[in-house]
């Protein structure tokens, strides 16, 4: 397979760095490559490993990645490059693991670093945090304490080089202004110009009449923005709402059907908030549209096999929770529904990346559909900064679509029963209650000890935010979405910022001060 220009440049840059320096300190034998999702990082890293082996610089290759499907993809690509198995068995030249297995590797595996020149590939390195053993998470600690010193060479790959908890990324260095230092950068803007990635469009679906009833009090909001700003409910409730799901899915289904008229192999992905939510979405698609969907979650015995089967099929829809949100290679995906309750920018970009990868198909349009949550819309707008003049920066397209019932025709409670879920909140807590503090304390402990991985941090923080400052009594809560839906279409063509936040700088300064005092 012929390499893309950026892949060749990155490989040459890495080999040049590795061979021009004999100093093993200060990360001289480590290479950090930032490449936009869909650019082809897996092929690049596997090809680099093969070239390093052919140059006589390494003996073995080990790869670590955040999920079993990505690990399997790396194993397959390394096998293709080296023409030998990468499964850790006799005769193989290495193996591929998930980061979860870092803590369970046996002594024989670690002894390989003493006996052989091992080249290590870290995919989506942002999952591994820490600048030292003091601030490292469970996945970052082995990288810092063992692999950094003992690996002959290593390369780290990422498309989103920051963390939601503002901790530094393991094995990375930062400038004084907290900007991460990358050895090679290949952004979406360049990838689009090189015809490597698609120019997708984000469709933000909003509603102009949302009825929220708590006990007997009724409040009407004219957008998701005003609803969430008033803290009348959480975004988690919005994405679990059947009407919202139906409105987002209906547009996505229509768009995928249009795409499949030209490209019969085009596929769609729905990222749900939970396993139960994923199953509910599948039932909704069957009930309202007579469309089947492949659901893949951690409940499956071999979820990576289901993902591979979908990748090689012409099935229309895949519904998942987080297993396909990052790194997973399904190039035929052209439509994505973002219905997860996680609203961090990193997660948004990871989901977004699933529809970026170009293929040889005739139609290369790509779309993301989502509720018009204000933070998600701001992320989409941020991605259109500094794009080429010939590409439309932002295109707004509004679509009004009546819902059958209105607030005037039914009581608020009846309206909610007819068109949305009715939720019962049984939390008996008030501001200052010990139970709230206990929840906060428990979550903070989990965060500090890194028991929660990156995808769970935002949910934990949201739980703290929702429980703090809330006076909840046992009451019926309902949200009726009865107005006209609007959709905003944003054309996206760049990923620019990869700066570590001011929060990170303050956090690191505080940590350094503590270390000095200790």
């Amino acid at each position: 397979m012929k390499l893309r220009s950026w892949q060749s440049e990155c490989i040459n840059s890495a080999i040049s760095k590795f061979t021009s320096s004999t100093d093993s300190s200060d990360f001289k034998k480590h290479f950090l490559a930032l490449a936009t999702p869909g650019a082809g990082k897996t092929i690049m890293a596997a090809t680099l490993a093969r070239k390093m082996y052919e140059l006589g610089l390494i003996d073995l290759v080990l790869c670590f990645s955040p999920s079993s499907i990505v690990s399997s993809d790396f194993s397959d690509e390394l096998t293709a490059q080296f023409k030998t198995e990468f499964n850790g068995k006799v005769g193989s030249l290495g193996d591929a693991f998930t980061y979860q297995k870092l803590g369970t590797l046996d002594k024989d595996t670690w002894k390989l670093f003493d006996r052989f020149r091992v080249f290590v590939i870290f995919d989506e390195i942002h999952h591994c945090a820490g600048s030292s053993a003091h601030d490292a998470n469970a996945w970052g600690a082995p990288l810092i304490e063992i692999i950094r010193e003992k690996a002959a060479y290593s390369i780290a790959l990422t498309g989103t080089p920051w963390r939601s908890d503002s901790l530094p990324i393991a094995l990375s260095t930062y400038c004084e202004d907290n900007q991460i230092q990358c050895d090679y950068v290949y952004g979406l803007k360049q990838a689009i110009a090189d015809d490597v990635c698609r120019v997708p469009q984000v469709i933000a679906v909003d509603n102009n009449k949302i009825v929220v009833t708590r006990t007997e009090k009724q409040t009407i909001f004219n957008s998701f923005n005003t609803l969430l700003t008033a803290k009348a409910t959480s975004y988690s409730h919005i994405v679990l709402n059947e009407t919202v799901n139906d409105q987002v899915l209906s547009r996505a289904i229509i768009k995928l059907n249009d795409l499949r008229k030209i490209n019969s192999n085009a596929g769609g992905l729905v990222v749900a908030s939970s396993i139960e939510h994923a199953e509910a979405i599948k039932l909704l698609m069957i009930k309202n549209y007579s469309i089947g969907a492949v659901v893949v979650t951690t409940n499956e015995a071999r979820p990576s096999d289901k993902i591979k089967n979908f990748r090689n099929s012409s099935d229309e829809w895949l519904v998942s929770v987080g297993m396909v949100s990052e790194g997973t290679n399904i190039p035929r995906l052209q439509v994505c529904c973002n219905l997860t309750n996680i609203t961090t920018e990193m997660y948004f970009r990871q989901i977004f990346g699933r529809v970026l990868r170009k293929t040889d198909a005739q139609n290369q349009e790509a779309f993301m559909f989502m509720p018009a949550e204000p933070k998600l819309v701001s992320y989409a707008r941020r991605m259109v900064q500094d794009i080429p003049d010939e590409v439309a920066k932002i295109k707004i397209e509004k679509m009004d679509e009546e819902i059958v019932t209105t607030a005037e025709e039914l009581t608020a409670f009846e309206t909610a029963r007819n068109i949305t879920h009715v939720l019962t909140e049984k939390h008996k807590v008030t501001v200052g209650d010990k139970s709230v503090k206990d929840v906060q304390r428990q979550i903070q402990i989990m965060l500090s000890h890194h028991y929660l991985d990156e995808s769970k941090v935002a949910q934990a923080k949201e739980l703290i935010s929702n429980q703090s400052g809330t006076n909840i009594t046992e009451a019926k809560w309902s949200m009726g979405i009865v107005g006209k839906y609007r959709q905003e279409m944003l054309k996206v063509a760049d990923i620019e910022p990869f700066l570590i936040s001011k929060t990170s700088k303050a956090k690191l300064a505080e940590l350094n001060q503590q270390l000095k005092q200790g």
Side-chain angles (χ1 to χ4, degrees), residues 215-494:
T215 311
E216 296 181 357
K217 185 177 180 181
Q218 175 180 304
T219 308
I220 299 176
F221 299 90
N222 62 6
S223 69
F224 289 136
N225 190 359
T226 57
L227 175 74
L228 294 169
T229 300
K231 298 183 179 179
T233 186
S234 69
Y235 185 61
S236 294
H237 286 148
I238 291 175
V239 294
L240 291 177
N241 182 278
E242 184 174 334
T243 302
V244 174
N245 288 184
D246 185 53
Q247 287 293 322
V248 173
L249 286 169
S250 64
R251 288 163 169 77
I253 289 169
I254 291 171
K255 180 55 64 178
L256 182 61
N257 289 342
D258 289 341
L259 293 175
R260 286 174 69 93
K261 290 176 182 176
I262 301 172
N263 174 19
S264 61
N265 199 42
L269 168 68
V270 182
V271 182
S273 296
S274 66
I275 294 174
E276 294 76 12
H277 188 209
E279 294 291 348
I281 288 171
K282 178 181 179 179
L283 292 176
L284 182 66
M285 295 175 78
I286 295 173
K287 181 182 70 173
N288 291 1
Y289 305 100
S290 300
I291 294 176
V294 176
V295 175
V296 56
T297 69
T298 53
N299 274 356
E300 315 293 334
R302 296 181 64 86
S304 59
D305 289 347
K306 291 190 73 172
I307 294 174
K308 283 187 175 181
N309 290 338
F310 180 85
R311 177 168 59 200
N312 298 323
S313 74
S314 59
D315 293 343
E316 294 180 61
W317 287 96
L318 178 67
V319 183
S320 183
V321 179
M323 302 194 67
V324 192
S325 62
E326 178 183 31
T328 307
N329 176 19
I330 310 178
R332 68 187 190 87
L333 290 177
Q334 290 185 247
V335 176
C336 174
C337 286
N338 185 348
L339 290 173
T340 176
N341 58 352
I342 300 175
T343 58
T344 64
E345 184 165 11
M346 185 179 73
Y347 203 60
F348 171 84
R349 290 176 184 244
Q350 289 168 356
I351 295 173
F352 193 89
R354 296 317 96 214
V355 297
L356 289 180
R357 195 181 302 270
K358 268 204 168 184
T359 67
D360 295 330
Q362 183 177 355
N363 185 299
Q364 287 300 304
E365 290 182 286
F367 298 84
M368 174 188 275
F369 292 82
M370 66 183 189
E373 197 276 340
K375 285 186 288 187
L376 298 183
V377 173
S378 70
Y379 302 154
R381 293 185 183 279
R382 189 174 301 158
M383 292 170 71
V384 305
Q385 296 173 354
D386 300 328
I387 64 176
D389 292 338
E390 62 270 16
V391 179
K393 291 188 177 181
I394 296 179
K395 182 179 180 183
I396 304 296
E397 185 178 282
K398 294 185 179 181
M399 181 186 297
D400 291 333
E401 187 172 315
E402 289 278 358
I403 302 298
V404 175
T405 58
T406 66
E408 289 74 25
E409 293 170 351
L410 299 171
T411 66
F413 182 73
E414 289 172 331
T415 299
R417 287 294 298 269
N418 273 276
I419 65 171
T420 189
H421 302 292
V422 178
L423 307 177
T424 302
E425 293 183 328
K426 296 182 179 178
H427 310 287
K428 294 183 178 180
V429 295
T430 56
V431 177
D433 274 3
K434 182 179 179 181
S435 55
V436 174
K437 292 181 179 179
D438 287 344
V439 171
Q440 292 175 324
R441 186 179 300 110
Q442 182 180 0
I443 294 175
Q444 291 294 355
I445 290 172
M446 294 174 76
L447 290 173
S448 64
H449 287 81
H450 311 291
Y451 296 146
L452 299 180
D453 62 26
E454 184 73 7
S455 65
K456 300 297 183 184
V457 170
Q459 292 172 318
K461 290 182 177 179
E462 182 181 5
L463 180 55
I464 293 176
S465 175
N466 288 346
Q467 297 230 25
S468 302
T470 304
N471 188 354
I472 306 173
T473 59
E474 221 178 284
K476 287 287 184 181
W477 178 93
S478 66
M479 177 176 65
I481 300 182
V482 300
K484 294 182 179 180
Y485 274 85
R486 304 185 303 275
Q487 72 177 34
E488 292 185 352
M489 185 164 64
L490 314 173
K491 185 162 279 190
V492 178
D494 199 19

Side-chain angles (χ1 to χ4, degrees), residues 44-54 58 61 78 82 119 121:
M44 182 278 294
T47 305
L48 170 61
R50 176 177 58 80
K51 289 182 176 291
M52 295 280 286
Y53 184 79
E54 291 172 347
I58 60 173
V61 180
L78 287 166
F82 282 81
F119 178 56
I121 300 171

Side-chain angles (χ1 to χ4, degrees), residues 128-132 135 163 165-170 172 174 500 504 508:
C128 306
S131 58
S132 66
D135 61 352
R163 291 178 53 85
D165 59 11
S166 300
L167 284 172
I169 296 172
S172 300
Y174 294 85
I500 298 300
S504 174
L508 289 174

